[in-house]
Amino acid sequence: MRHPAIPKPSGSGMSPELIAYSALGIAAAVLAVIGVFTAVRYLRADGETRASLRLASRIRRTWRRSAPPLGLAVIDRTPTTTAQLTAKTGQRPEPRTRIPAITTRPDRTGVSVRMKTVAGIGLDEVAAQARHLADLWGCARVSVAPDGPGRLLVRAVRIDPLAAKTRYRPGLTVPATLRVWPMGEDEYAKPVAAALSNVPGIAVAGLPGYGKTSLVNSLIGRFAPSDVVQFAVADGKAETADAGDYADIAPRLFAFAGDDLAEANKLFIRLVKLRRDRYNAMRRALGTANLWDVNPSAAWPLVVLVIDEAHTFFSQPKGSDKRSRELAALAAENARLVDDLIRKGRSVGFVTIVITQKPTGDAIPTSIRDNCGIRISFAQTTQEAAVAALGDDIRLWPDANPVGLQDPAYLGVASMRIQGQEGFTRVRMPEVTPADTAKVAAATAHLTADPATLLPHGDGPDPVDFTKAA
């Protein structure tokens, strides 16, 4: 039986040559689009970003050639299935050189290189070559950090972020969270933030004029627009609230004490009482023993106490006369009260910031200093002061030692230990002028409230208007 003939499709279809030309045309179009995008991106970038774009291109272009001499390549002698099938009879496939694959992302200060590890080349191997990579790429420094399973983030910094002064102008925007405090950028131009949640105290040290006051201005300017934060200050450099570094932010303070030990003692007693009353009322009112489980609120605000020139309130005066004994007793009582706030204030939403030049044991009691969860130091003149400020571990990190920050170029740069990160990091803190902070404090003065008046029994004193102080 004969089957009917199947009709041939009309036309002869695309020839292999036409298919090849079409593929080449599509590839050329794609390359043209990529080229136009790259050119437009380059032309629209500023000068620093253009330099980083050129660096990123050079890193990608030379990576396969530069990685093997640095030991960042491995010889894989196990042939793939494809190599085995295509090898000539009797011949063993050639071993492969495996190099970590990379992608680049440039910015104004450098290039972030994301790298896929291969067997035998991981964090330790790449980190050991960081200095050589910096020399090869012409960078100020190169850092290497984990970036997820099987991945690394290599940060190539062209210009030193620590040497470039920055400025922060606080506005009236309410911060999105109170759990972290954005502080600045590290030496690899990566943002650095300090935790405020579940942190009982912050110790800040450093020479005069190197950034301690600006750091506090940054904190107050950033968080003052929120009614979920209330501030108190004990300033060992001033007699009244209308004098000294905190005069301009007085409208945003619910409590203030100057350098008089008895006045400071009253303030510390008042805050310890608030701490106890909060603890007694919190579980019943909020259903938790830790305020950070539910986050601070306008009714249960975060209380930030700044103690500037803290040694003024804790140092034991010399002398055996009656007045010296009275001052010594006040200093000892002040130390006990502040120690109470730091040891017990974390769960009830207290953060105490202790500021001094040189936090040695004779200036700041070690029970206060060592219980601060965050320790920051601007420039120091001696190794003793650096150890007092940051702990004995700073000896193991000479590159981050604050003794090396005495250069005027490093005004506003501090060394600190960042939670979850090994060792110490140098951080460029942005300058915040008193005038900018004063504008924010004046505009947000109506948010000032004594946290004691917000408790269920509400028997705390009303906030004092320090702007009318005599």
Side-chain angles (χ1 to χ4, degrees):
M1 180 176 177
R2 297 181 65 185
H3 295 282
I6 300 175
K8 293 182 179 181
S10 61
S12 58
M14 295 180 65
S15 66
E17 293 82 0
L18 186 56
I19 293 175
Y21 285 133
S22 298
L24 288 174
I26 293 173
V30 171
L31 290 175
V33 170
I34 293 175
V36 170
F37 174 80
T38 302
V40 171
R41 181 186 183 192
Y42 185 83
L43 293 173
R44 294 182 64 182
D46 57 41
E48 295 294 350
T49 305
R50 287 183 183 181
S52 295
L53 284 166
R54 294 193 296 270
L55 174 60
S57 176
R58 182 157 59 88
I59 290 172
R60 293 192 305 271
R61 191 174 61 253
T62 62
W63 175 240
R64 296 195 66 82
R65 185 173 69 250
S66 57
L70 295 177
L72 301 180
V74 293
I75 303 300
D76 187 353
R77 301 186 183 280
T78 303
T80 64
T81 302
T82 301
Q84 289 177 317
L85 293 174
T86 57
K88 294 182 180 180
T89 304
Q91 290 187 350
R92 182 178 179 82
E94 291 292 327
R96 295 175 299 148
T97 299
R98 300 188 62 192
I99 297 173
I102 64 170
T103 59
T104 59
R105 183 177 181 180
D107 53 53
R108 291 194 77 254
T109 58
V111 180
S112 294
V113 181
R114 282 187 160 77
M115 181 181 298
K116 244 180 136 175
T117 62
V118 298
I121 300 176
L123 177 64
D124 292 341
E125 290 73 23
V126 180
Q129 300 299 328
R131 184 64 260 172
H132 293 296
L133 288 172
D135 293 339
L136 179 67
W137 295 339
C139 297
R141 60 178 67 90
V142 167
S143 70
V144 185
D147 191 38
R151 296 181 181 275
L152 301 176
L153 176 61
V154 181
R155 177 72 178 147
V157 181
R158 291 188 309 100
I159 55 179
D160 189 355
L162 299 180
K165 292 185 178 181
T166 58
R167 184 173 176 182
Y168 168 63
R169 289 182 171 87
L172 299 179
T173 302
V174 177
T177 179
L178 302 181
R179 303 186 75 88
V180 294
W181 171 14
M183 305 195 76
E185 291 185 342
D186 68 9
E187 52 201 300
Y188 303 104
K190 293 188 295 185
V192 173
L196 289 181
S197 63
N198 288 299
V199 171
I202 300 173
V204 182
L207 296 175
Y210 273 81
K212 299 190 299 295
T213 300
S214 184
L215 179 66
V216 176
N217 282 335
S218 171
L219 172 73
I220 295 176
R222 189 177 298 275
F223 293 106
S226 174
D227 60 355
V228 184
V229 188
Q230 299 297 338
F231 303 94
V233 168
D235 185 5
K237 303 192 299 291
E239 295 181 0
T240 60
D242 60 349
D245 293 335
Y246 299 93
D248 292 331
I249 61 171
R252 194 58 180 87
L253 306 178
F254 76 87
F256 177 89
D259 59 3
D260 183 87
L261 266 64
E263 290 300 314
N265 184 256
K266 292 178 182 178
L267 172 60
F268 299 149
I269 290 174
R270 174 180 166 186
L271 292 176
V272 168
K273 181 180 185 303
L274 172 62
R275 195 273 306 163
R276 291 172 177 166
D277 291 345
R278 273 194 161 193
Y279 179 81
N280 293 331
M282 193 167 62
R283 187 181 292 275
R284 182 175 64 256
L286 302 179
T288 179
N290 188 337
L291 181 62
W292 292 106
D293 290 343
V294 295
N295 286 326
S297 63
W300 290 81
L302 172 66
V303 178
V304 177
L305 169 62
V306 178
I307 308 177
D308 204 345
E309 296 296 333
H311 56 273
T312 302
F313 307 109
F314 306 138
S315 296
Q316 293 287 324
K318 297 179 180 179
S320 57
D321 59 284
K322 180 180 178 182
R323 182 55 180 164
S324 295
R325 292 196 302 271
E326 291 175 348
L327 292 175
L330 280 172
E333 177 71 359
N334 288 341
R336 184 187 68 79
L337 292 168
V338 174
D339 179 62
D340 177 282
L341 289 174
I342 290 179
R343 285 189 300 106
K344 302 177 182 179
R346 173 187 61 82
S347 62
V348 293
F350 274 72
V351 175
T352 301
I353 303 176
V354 182
I355 305 172
T356 190
Q357 295 180 29
K358 182 180 175 182
T360 51
D362 57 339
I364 305 293
T366 55
S367 60
I368 293 175
R369 183 191 67 195
D370 296 344
N371 279 315
C372 288
I374 299 173
R375 294 166 72 172
I376 302 167
S377 180
F378 292 88
Q380 297 287 358
T381 56
T382 65
Q383 182 75 0
E384 177 197 13
V387 170
L390 298 173
D392 198 60
D393 283 355
I394 190 60
R395 299 180 190 273
L396 305 176
W397 299 86
D399 289 345
N401 197 307
V403 173
L405 299 178
Q406 297 179 65
D407 190 310
Y410 290 137
L411 291 176
V413 177
S415 295
M416 63 180 292
R417 188 190 291 272
I418 300 173
Q419 297 94 324
Q421 184 171 316
E422 185 181 9
F424 296 85
T425 299
R426 295 182 297 173
V427 181
R428 159 62 68 181
M429 312 287 185
E431 179 187 6
V432 182
T433 66
D436 286 339
T437 309
K439 293 177 183 178
V440 175
T444 60
H446 64 285
L447 301 177
T448 305
D450 189 318
T453 65
L454 304 174
L455 290 173
H457 52 72
D459 60 355
D462 292 330
V464 177
D465 185 355
F466 299 113
T467 61
K468 297 180 180 178

